[in-house]
Amino acid sequence: MARAPKFSARMSGRWRIVAMSGWDRDAIDLVEPGYVEFARNGTGQFGFIAVHGWLDCRPVERDGRPGVEFTWEGSDEGDQVSGRGWAVMADDDTIEGHLFFHLGDDSSFRAKPFTDADEPDGP
């Protein structure tokens, strides 16, 4: 029986969404700087446009790279929404993944480590 992968410490933390296939940067940052965050306890959250989601993550390995698969539920402008997604470490200290809305849109995304400069008030 194969051992389940452990949650990668490199994946944990807050990541700044820098690109999505479904929306441009202005849309991503509509309410706050777009982000996805993974906690080592298997939870997490994300926010972009007017969508805020809470994650239930499982560690995985895709093409030899550490990552997570997750389901999520949250709100989009006050409407309840849910879906699934995944993210993996890219070669250059970024993550890439895909987010799916249940019976709705989907988008790939790329993110880099969140820094103080990414805060709305900056450093």
Side-chain angles (χ1 to χ4, degrees):
M1 178 177 216
R3 294 177 56 186
K6 293 182 177 179
F7 192 87
S8 170
R10 291 177 55 203
M11 291 287 300
S12 66
R14 193 173 180 100
W15 298 83
R16 174 77 161 97
I17 298 173
V18 294
M20 298 184 85
S21 62
W23 300 278
D24 65 23
R25 185 73 178 261
D26 288 340
I28 294 168
D29 297 340
L30 181 66
V31 174
E32 63 182 316
Y35 73 96
V36 60
E37 184 174 337
F38 302 105
R40 295 188 77 176
N41 67 0
T43 63
Q45 59 181 314
F46 66 77
F48 63 93
I49 311 177
V51 181
H52 190 112
W54 291 269
L55 310 178
D56 178 6
C57 303
R58 300 292 186 271
V60 296
E61 190 172 296
R62 281 181 171 238
D63 299 325
R65 298 183 292 174
V68 297
E69 291 180 349
F70 55 85
T71 58
W72 64 272
E73 61 182 22
S75 65
D76 181 3
E77 295 188 65
D79 296 327
Q80 186 174 0
V81 290
S82 62
R84 62 185 171 85
W86 58 266
V88 295
M89 292 298 303
D91 294 334
D92 56 354
D93 289 332
T94 60
I95 61 171
E96 57 189 24
H98 208 100
L99 184 70
F100 301 85
F101 286 74
H102 182 74
L103 299 175
D105 293 326
D106 69 276
S107 176
S108 63
F109 68 90
R110 188 168 46 86
K112 64 179 182 65
F114 205 95
T115 67
D116 289 344
D118 295 317
E119 294 291 341
D121 297 334

